[in-house]
Amino acid sequence: MTTAWLSLIGIGEDGCAGLGPAARAALDGADLVFGGPRHLDLAGVGSKGQPWPVPFDVAPVLAHRGRSVVVLTSGDPFWHGAGGSLAAYLAPGEWVSHPALSVFQLMANRLGWRLEEVICLGLHAAPYPRLLPHLHPGRRILCTLRDGAAVAELANWLAARGFGSSHLTVMERLGGPAERLRETRAAPFASEQIDAPVALAIRPAGAPGLPRSAGLPDAGYAQDGQITKAPIRALTLAALAPRPGHHLWDVGAGSGSVSVEFCLAGGRATAIEARGDRVANIRQNCVDFGLTHCLRVVEGRAPAALADLEPPDAVFVGGGCDAALIEALWARLAPGARLVVNAVTLETETLLMQHHAIKGGTLLRLDIAEAAPLGRMRGWSPSRTVVQWSVAR
């Protein structure tokens, strides 16, 4: 299309007064205007206004393709706004964007924080555990929240995880005449009236935060004992070599610990597990570590459960491996994709030795022991020996 039919307009708390001439012209000439109730009130569009459906869906906008349509968002339409959701269905010439200052820009400018050094999160549409990887003393975090009540909820969530001494700046209705900033701590948090739209600046303090290296403590996972132990997990993650955006198949996932740490390293994962009780543990770990957006859980047994999955960049098999599974996985791997298999039985160890001789890669024997009480003294308590085969397709 040669002429854009859709205008994405960022609007702030100052309403139409903050819009430029082009945005005003698009708004005045629109047949329909979509937005949240607050946006529609700020723009004063009257009967042309169409509130977003709940739950959010772009279909009503796309149904009017070809008419003159405006979508109102807060600030920048492509920063936690509807712009990205709509653009995925449109050709470049179908839309034009008129961004305003984003709430993150306003927050950084109020606080004097360098925006390039700050973590920005849209917690108005994401669970609080999404914060977990970023909670470290010395970090600075800006986040948008659902409503005023969410501020106390998040403060309590922080306190329950040892971050009660974190410094919070509550920012209400930024950029408008009713703007207000308040300083407080996560605990004790003084519950009082907080107006939306609201955003929060966090300077974490208290707990040390989640380590960024592989091999997190086993005790941090929901599990039934079927877990790749922390030292072996660290070596396994090193062999899998996670990269941002890479996709892992975790076959026979157990507790899902390898999937969790692959995602924490910037990747995505699909955890495949046949037992329902272990699937429940994986789902719990997915929630606890804030990874519901990048960790998928599939209940089933490989290779049948792999049929419709997105192709992987890496595959891990932690148990229950046989020759048929290895060949099925090998056939699905693209050039450069990695396969890592850990074996604890003699039969599987023999299988890995045979495939190593044919396909190459690296074969490691991992013997690990931990000091433990032995009578009145201490001795070495060995873990099961693990043989690890890793290979690139």
Side-chain angles (χ1 to χ4, degrees), residues 189-250:
F189 181 80
S191 182
E192 53 184 296
Q193 179 64 38
I194 298 174
D195 294 329
V198 60
L200 193 67
I202 306 172
R203 283 184 283 168
L210 192 67
R212 300 306 294 266
S213 59
L216 299 178
D218 298 344
Y221 289 95
Q223 52 156 309
D224 63 355
Q226 186 68 20
I227 185 171
T228 303
K229 301 299 190 290
I232 302 298
R233 194 183 324 127
L235 293 168
T236 299
L237 266 294
L240 289 168
R243 292 173 173 83
H246 273 203
H247 179 215
L248 170 72
W249 285 356
D250 185 358

Side-chain angles (χ1 to χ4, degrees), residues 293-317:
H293 62 300
C294 58
L295 201 171
R296 178 187 176 192
V297 185
V298 173
E299 184 171 355
R301 191 176 300 278
L306 310 176
D308 299 321
L309 299 185
E310 175 188 349
D313 301 288
V315 177
F316 172 60
V317 183

Side-chain angles (χ1 to χ4, degrees), residues 71-123:
V71 165
L72 296 173
T73 71
S74 294
D76 187 337
F78 288 92
W79 195 302
H80 299 284
S85 300
L86 285 161
Y89 296 94
L90 303 174
E94 291 188 82
W95 54 270
V96 63
S97 181
H98 304 280
L101 288 173
S102 74
V103 66
F104 298 108
Q105 290 174 285
L106 291 170
M107 295 171 77
N109 279 270
R110 298 296 186 271
L111 297 169
W113 290 4
R114 292 180 182 270
L115 194 55
E116 71 273 14
E117 297 176 355
V118 172
I119 300 296
C120 297
L121 296 174
L123 296 186

